[in-house]
Amino acid sequence: MGEMIVIDRESCVGCGACVSDCLLGNLRLEEGKAVPAKRCFGCGHCVAVCPKGAVSLPAWDMADVEEYEGEGFAIKPENYLHAVKFRRSIRSYGGRPVEREKLERILQAGRYTPTAANRQACRFYVVQRELSRWKELVWQELPGVIEVLRETAPDMAARFAEFAGWHQADPGRDFLFFGADVFLAVAAGETFDAGLAACNMENMAVSEGLGVLYSGYLTKIIGRSPALKEWLGVSDKPLACCMLLGYPAVRYRRTAPRKPVDIIWR
């Protein structure tokens, strides 16, 4: 797909930066100008590395390309480590609606996550406006999911049965959604791609003042319910990760302790 890459010959100075940085060897220099060949998976490194802005990928969103100065990561290392240590899994939300513009920035963080061969094949599901209906449907489907799990995962079935009993006795006791304002799920053929996207979105959400909870419970429930998958629109790509987002109802004042790091140096 050499046609994916367009090089402005007037702007190109023949420095060879794009040629050297192309993983597939798709670029070469001819008569002092960079020329694309036939192999390209659209990683965009040639666009990012060109000192003159001579390279473009018209099939991609070139209007979203940003210029930046300086070297390396824009966040100071100590600040990033503090952010990682300070994050908490939030299981109590304050009920304040999450603004649409914040959700859009969070999804951009998922969009820009690196993926295998730059496939960018993650699909994101966001439920906010219809969250009440979604919660009702999940609780309605849970008994059937419990029956399915009794054969394959009896411990999980017992846990979900306990949740269902609590919810039936007190509908306000919600051990699946915790009062979150947004349900967000990621589907991808490669689970690793979805996990990376979810991690970036979580970091972005926390930077926006939100709290996040990864919900393996909801991932398992939806994966075993055709009705829930149909309601979300899950089809060709398996659901890999579910997250809850909202403004935290609790304030944490220090980092939590962790076990010593388990590492082997060689």
Side-chain angles (χ1 to χ4, degrees), residues 61-248:
D61 186 3
M62 291 299 298
D64 203 38
V65 173
E66 298 182 34
E67 301 280 345
Y68 69 90
E69 299 293 335
E71 297 291 333
F73 205 36
I75 303 174
K76 292 182 179 180
E78 61 271 22
N79 291 345
Y80 186 77
L81 182 57
H82 285 161
V84 172
K85 292 173 69 175
F86 291 161
R87 60 83 53 202
R88 301 263 64 80
S89 294
I90 302 300
R91 294 178 176 85
S92 180
Y93 295 90
R96 174 182 163 195
V98 176
E99 298 87 345
R100 179 63 175 262
E101 58 268 22
K102 289 190 176 184
L103 289 175
E104 289 176 350
R105 287 193 291 268
I106 290 166
L107 290 165
Q108 287 296 315
R111 173 194 177 199
Y112 272 94
T113 300
T115 55
N118 199 40
R119 293 187 183 94
Q120 302 171 44
C122 291
R123 180 175 296 147
F124 305 100
Y125 302 86
V126 183
V127 183
Q128 184 182 37
R129 179 171 48 85
E130 298 182 67
L131 185 61
S132 295
R133 173 60 187 138
W134 173 238
K135 290 180 180 180
E136 291 175 4
L137 187 59
V138 169
W139 285 111
Q140 289 172 13
E141 286 293 304
L142 186 57
V145 171
I146 292 170
E147 290 306 312
V148 172
L149 290 173
R150 289 193 195 281
E151 296 295 326
T152 59
D155 290 344
M156 185 64 68
R159 175 65 58 85
F160 287 157
E162 189 174 34
F163 290 173
W166 291 340
H167 186 68
Q168 186 175 14
D170 178 8
R173 191 176 186 186
D174 187 346
F175 267 69
L176 290 178
F177 292 95
F178 301 100
D181 183 60
V182 179
F183 168 88
L184 194 160
V186 188
E190 295 287 343
T191 303
F192 189 66
D193 289 346
L196 290 175
C199 184
N200 277 351
M201 288 191 295
E202 182 200 13
N203 287 337
M204 188 65 196
V206 172
S207 75
E208 296 279 8
L210 304 176
V212 176
L213 175 67
Y214 293 113
S215 180
Y217 289 153
L218 285 170
T219 305
K220 288 180 171 62
I221 292 169
I222 298 167
R224 287 162 176 80
S225 168
L228 294 177
K229 287 190 285 189
E230 181 180 2
W231 192 93
L232 275 181
V234 177
S235 55
D236 56 315
K237 298 179 181 181
L239 202 65
C241 178
C242 293
M243 309 163 67
L244 301 174
L245 293 85
Y247 285 98

